[in-house]
């Protein structure tokens, strides 16, 4: 959209992007209000609800929706003006909302989720409605202390603080671009959620081990495991997605890691030649993805029961492959988000 609207300055683009993601996080609640008021669920109506109930800008709408210049949205019509008046006395959260609406959760998943989370339901699902933080991780091969990274980034105007649990992480105060930073180009750090950092640490990969990462993706966990192995031993990184493996290769090169062997596999790959060979077999299994939903906000509406059933079958297949690949006395580490 922005490619076609080059008249929008960087400030405008940032504000529009922020509003877009706020709307994405409130899709079910906005739809609920429109349904209550018998208003069509159109893009304009969705934005009106967001501006009135989330941004509290009802008084500014005549100015925002004006014909002052060629780029302004069309003025509000009588129906839209009536909708704004009705919205003015409402709050985004309403006690009459069902749980799945108030918590922005797929209705068909709600019973299972309640059974799994119990009294923690509101706290846990509420946490997924808050914008995800940006965590970065030092490369232990090149930087011994995350406080050094924190100070280097602070010197470039990027503020952060050490992560609470991971000894390698720095949590940034806001999202930033890193591609042009010399610290990024020289592989001193990479982007990785604190949870993924902890998962990679708990794999307990040690120097000289043989490790299989059988859902390697773009190599996030392999990066930290390889660093903890001090580049000694081998990690076999498998994935059926060539683009993700290519991204991993670029990250390994930047980090100075050379004990990772990347291998593209088909969806139904054979592990015949790798039986009983690995001290650690790591499965970061395909799953519902619900643990990523505060970062990939719209993914919650794309998951279907059929897709979840397919994922369960894949998980069982991967676990069976891992069982055959692990060496006697080795470990299988099974991870989902």
């Amino acid at each position: 959209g922005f490619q076609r609207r080059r008249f929008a300055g960087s400030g405008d683009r940032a504000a529009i992007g922020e509003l877009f993601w706020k709307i994405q996080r409130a899709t079910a609640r906005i739809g609920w209000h429109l349904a209550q008021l018998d208003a069509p669920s159109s893009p304009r109506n969705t934005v009106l609800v967001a501006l009135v109930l989330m941004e509290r800008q009802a008084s500014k709408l005549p100015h925002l929706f004006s014909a002052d210049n060629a780029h302004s949205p069309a003025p509000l019509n009588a129906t839209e003006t009536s909708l704004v008046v009705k919205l003015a006395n409402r709050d985004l959260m309403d006690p009459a909302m069902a749980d799945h609406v108030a918590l922005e959760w797929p209705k068909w998943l709600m019973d299972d989720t309640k059974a799994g989370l119990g009294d923690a339901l509101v706290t846990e699902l509420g946490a997924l409605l808050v914008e995800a933080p940006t965590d970065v991780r030092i490369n232990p091969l090149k930087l011994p202390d995350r406080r050094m990274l924190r100070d280097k980034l602070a010197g470039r105007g990027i503020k952060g603080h050490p992560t609470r649990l991971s000894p390698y992480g720095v949590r940034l105060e806001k999202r930033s671009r890193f591609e042009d930073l010399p610290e990024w180009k020289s592989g001193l750090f990479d982007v990785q959620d604190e949870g993924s950092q902890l998962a990679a640490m708990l794999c307990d990969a040690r120097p000289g081990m043989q490790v299989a990462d059988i859902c390697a993706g773009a190599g996030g966990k392999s990066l930290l495991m390889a660093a903890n192995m001090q580049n000694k031993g081998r990690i076999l990184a498998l994935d059926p997605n060539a683009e993700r493996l290519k991204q991993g290769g670029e990250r390994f090169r930047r980090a100075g890691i050379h004990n990772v062997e990347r291998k593209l596999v088909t969806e139904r790959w054979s592990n015949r030649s790798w039986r009983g060979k690995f001290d650690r077999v790591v499965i970061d299994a395909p799953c519902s993805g619900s643990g990523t939903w505060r970062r990939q906000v719209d993914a919650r509406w794309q998951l279907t029961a059929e897709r979840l059933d397919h994922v369960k079958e894949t998980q069982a297949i991967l676990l069976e492959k891992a069982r055959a690949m692990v060496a006697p006395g080795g470990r299988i580490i099974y991870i989902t988000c």
Side-chain angles (χ1 to χ4, degrees):
F2 287 135
Q3 293 295 321
R4 300 194 306 275
R5 297 173 176 84
R6 295 188 179 280
F7 56 81
S10 60
D12 290 333
R13 288 199 297 271
I16 292 166
E18 187 177 337
L19 180 61
F20 173 82
W21 289 114
K22 282 183 179 177
I23 289 172
Q24 289 290 313
R25 289 190 188 91
T27 298
R29 287 168 289 174
I30 289 172
W32 184 88
H33 283 286
L34 290 173
Q36 291 286 307
L37 297 173
D38 290 325
S41 183
S42 67
R44 263 177 73 98
N45 282 351
T46 297
V47 171
L48 288 176
V49 175
L51 290 173
V52 176
L53 299 189
M54 301 172 76
E55 302 293 288
R56 296 297 177 190
Q57 295 206 359
S59 61
K60 296 182 181 177
L61 293 186
H63 171 67
L64 294 173
F65 290 79
S66 68
D68 288 349
N69 65 63
H71 305 311
S72 298
L76 302 180
N77 60 34
T79 305
E80 291 169 337
T81 301
S82 172
L83 173 63
V84 169
V85 170
K86 293 173 186 173
L87 287 167
N89 297 319
R90 289 173 165 257
D91 292 309
L92 182 64
M93 294 297 289
D94 191 297
M97 288 175 173
D99 284 346
H100 72 274
V101 175
L103 294 167
E104 300 284 331
W105 201 250
K107 185 177 181 181
W108 63 273
L109 261 185
M110 204 64 197
D111 287 346
D112 272 356
T113 308
K114 283 181 177 177
L117 293 176
D119 293 341
L121 181 83
V122 173
T123 305
E124 295 293 336
L125 300 194
L128 291 176
L129 294 177
V130 180
E131 185 177 352
T134 299
D135 297 335
V136 294
R137 173 191 50 72
I138 57 169
N139 175 2
L141 292 175
K142 296 190 175 187
L143 206 59
D145 190 327
R146 73 222 178 125
R147 288 171 296 190
M148 295 169 69
L149 175 62
R150 177 198 61 191
D151 295 345
K152 283 175 182 290
L153 292 177
R156 300 191 182 280
I158 301 172
K159 294 182 179 177
H161 56 271
T163 43
R164 195 164 60 89
L165 297 173
S166 167
Y168 297 120
V170 174
R171 177 158 292 179
L172 305 184
E173 288 186 5
K174 60 181 182 180
R175 282 196 307 259
S176 299
R177 292 183 65 89
F178 308 117
E179 291 85 350
D180 297 327
L181 297 183
E183 292 86 356
W184 172 264
K185 292 177 180 176
S186 59
L188 298 188
F189 75 99
D190 211 317
V191 179
Q192 188 176 35
D193 280 345
E194 184 181 21
S196 291
Q197 295 176 34
L198 294 169
M201 290 171 59
L202 289 168
C203 293
D204 190 31
R206 302 179 192 178
M209 279 187 173
Q210 296 290 307
V211 177
D213 185 354
I214 67 175
C215 300
K221 294 179 182 66
S222 283
L223 276 163
L224 185 49
M225 288 193 292
N228 283 339
M229 292 164 72
Q230 298 164 26
N231 264 330
K232 297 168 185 169
R234 175 180 72 137
I235 297 177
L236 177 66
L238 308 175
D239 202 87
N241 185 305
E243 183 57 34
R244 286 199 298 252
L245 279 180
K246 182 170 176 280
Q247 290 172 6
E250 292 162 1
R251 294 171 82 183
F252 298 139
R253 280 191 292 275
R254 195 171 65 243
I257 284 165
H258 46 75
N259 68 331
V260 178
E261 176 191 340
R262 290 172 296 132
K263 191 163 183 64
L264 183 67
V265 292
T266 61
E267 288 287 350
R268 299 196 173 278
W269 51 277
S270 167
N271 59 349
R272 204 172 298 118
S273 60
W274 298 318
R275 288 181 177 272
K277 297 277 181 70
F278 295 95
D279 303 294
R280 302 282 184 267
V281 182
V282 179
I283 316 169
D284 191 352
C287 60
S288 68
S290 58
T292 69
W293 284 354
R294 65 176 177 165
R295 194 175 298 285
Q296 297 170 303
V297 183
D298 54 340
R300 69 187 67 212
W301 308 123
Q302 294 166 14
L303 181 69
T304 63
E306 293 76 22
R307 162 78 182 142
L308 193 54
D309 285 340
H310 175 69
V311 159
K312 289 177 188 174
E313 291 173 17
T314 303
Q315 289 177 344
I317 291 167
L318 290 171
L319 200 50
E320 184 60 26
K321 286 184 184 296
R323 186 188 67 79
M325 292 168 71
V326 71
R331 295 181 193 164
I332 295 172
I333 297 95
Y334 183 88
I335 304 163
T336 68
C337 67

